[in-house]
Amino acid sequence: MVRLVQGVGINDRSCPAWSNGKHNKEYSLWVSMLTRCYSKKSHIAHPTYVKCSVSENFKYYAYFFNWANTQVGFGNVDFQLDKDLIMKGNEIYSEDTCVFIPTELNLLIIKRTNGRGALPLGVTKNGLRYKSRCNVQGKEKHLGTFDTPELAFAAYKTFKEAHIKELAEKYKDTIDPRAYLALVNYEVHIDD
């Protein structure tokens, strides 16, 4: 009898889940994806995944295993599975929406609504004015101080979109063409 993973995932054991005494990359990614989408405990810690789900195909480990092994970037150590670069705001992990991208890119495009408050992304209150800043490789880059949150956001948007395009060129030869196209066309919105 097959035991379900997170109540939905099926591992028929036709593909390896272990290598050298530990879970292999495919299995770890698959379980992590199912946990983000279907674990109530995980939803408490990461409420942004409450509405997320996994396609019917991805519920089968063998399918996910075979899909992952054909994807550009899968074998790269510092690449992560991303579900919402190709389709911004997407909440479904599937073969049509997922790509592997470098951690550096994934951290840059992550939506951070929790803890931001009422101000736009990249904007903080600074006395009577508004400071614009963006994280680049884990370091905060100050972009200026402005009279309104909208002006501060405009500076953030301009900088971040240009930076994303720079990284698209940097990784062009190592990422899925769909990811590259999404990056060069990426737009930062005030409600991101």
Side-chain angles (χ1 to χ4, degrees):
M1 176 175 229
V2 176
R3 195 176 105 218
L4 295 177
V5 176
Q6 292 300 330
V8 297
I10 299 167
N11 180 3
D12 68 2
R13 302 201 181 347
S14 64
C15 291
W18 294 84
S19 177
N20 298 321
K22 63 179 185 174
H23 285 126
N24 62 24
K25 184 174 183 175
E26 296 91 342
Y27 190 78
S28 294
L29 285 168
W30 183 68
V31 170
S32 179
M33 172 182 67
L34 293 171
T35 301
R36 283 193 299 275
C37 294
Y38 300 106
S39 166
K40 289 183 182 6
K41 186 176 180 180
S42 178
H43 291 165
I44 292 167
H46 307 283
T48 55
Y49 288 101
V50 169
K51 294 180 182 177
C52 291
S53 62
V54 173
S55 72
E56 288 306 310
N57 287 335
F58 270 22
K59 289 178 183 175
Y60 291 86
Y61 174 61
Y63 184 91
F64 182 82
F65 178 96
N66 291 318
W67 172 85
N69 278 282
T70 65
Q71 299 308 297
V72 175
F74 171 70
N76 295 356
V77 175
D78 197 36
F79 277 43
Q80 297 177 335
L81 179 67
D82 179 86
K83 69 169 172 33
D84 49 14
L85 171 61
I86 294 174
M87 188 185 315
K88 196 170 181 183
N90 175 55
E91 296 177 333
I92 301 170
Y93 285 88
S94 76
E95 60 274 33
D96 297 324
T97 59
C98 289
V99 289
F100 289 95
I101 60 173
T103 302
E104 178 181 23
L105 280 171
N106 205 20
L107 290 173
L108 192 60
I109 62 168
I110 241 170
K111 188 172 181 176
R112 299 181 198 274
T113 51
N114 293 346
R116 180 168 80 223
L119 293 173
L121 190 62
V123 178
T124 55
K125 189 88 164 127
N126 188 23
L128 297 175
R129 301 184 79 207
Y130 298 89
K131 184 166 76 169
S132 179
R133 59 184 175 48
C134 187
N135 285 322
V136 177
Q137 294 181 331
K139 295 179 182 170
E140 188 174 288
K141 179 167 179 61
H142 179 71
L143 305 173
T145 304
F146 303 86
D147 291 331
T148 68
E150 294 79 14
L151 289 171
F153 174 74
Y156 171 81
K157 174 181 172 65
T158 299
F159 175 83
K160 188 166 181 177
E161 287 175 355
H163 186 58
I164 288 171
K165 286 171 180 51
E166 285 174 22
L167 292 179
E169 294 306 320
K170 174 182 174 181
Y171 291 109
K172 182 178 184 176
D173 296 331
T174 59
I175 59 176
D176 187 303
R178 298 173 301 156
Y180 173 76
L181 188 60
L183 290 166
V184 296
N185 292 309
Y186 195 89
E187 288 186 29
V188 176
H189 298 268
I190 200 160
D191 59 349
D192 279 352

